[in-house]
Amino acid sequence: MSHDPNCLFCKIVAGQIPSKKAYEDEDILAFHDIHPWAPVHVLIIPKRHITSMVDVGPDDAALLGKMMAVSPRLMKELGVTNGYRHVINTGRDGLQEVMHLHMHVMGGPRPWLKG
């Protein structure tokens, strides 16, 4: 499994930085965002270091599918009942702040939009 020793999310996967986990299996980790934009805001990340969507290839299809497929169950478990949003920022111009592929899943009662 690829790991970047300087990557914040790789350090979370390795247990070097604490997180409030929402889901974990052998391939992915979901944890609550420390600066949420919504009442429920989790990040779903691959445990293997992938810098961004630019680095995703055909061999990553099952992994990305798993990230998407776990989100409905996770949102239901976290009490989100009226819809949610998926966001994947890619690269600096795409507003990606941590250079480890991650998917934001946000839901809960509105208003929670940020300007």
Side-chain angles (χ1 to χ4, degrees), residues 19-34:
S19 67
K20 183 179 175 191
K21 293 179 184 179
Y23 176 84
E24 183 174 19
D25 66 24
E26 63 278 354
D27 300 312
I28 63 175
L29 173 65
F31 54 94
H32 294 267
D33 194 298
I34 62 169

Side-chain angles (χ1 to χ4, degrees), residues 22 49 82:
H49 184 82
N82 200 28

Side-chain angles (χ1 to χ4, degrees), residues 66-97:
K66 182 183 255 191
M67 291 171 63
M68 291 297 292
V70 77
S71 63
R73 185 181 87 202
L74 188 55
M75 289 291 104
K76 184 176 180 181
E77 289 172 2
L78 294 172
V80 175
T81 59
N82 200 28
Y84 44 91
R85 181 176 177 202
H86 294 85
V87 176
I88 299 175
N89 299 321
T90 304
R92 297 274 181 223
D93 287 343
L95 302 179
Q96 184 177 357
E97 293 178 7

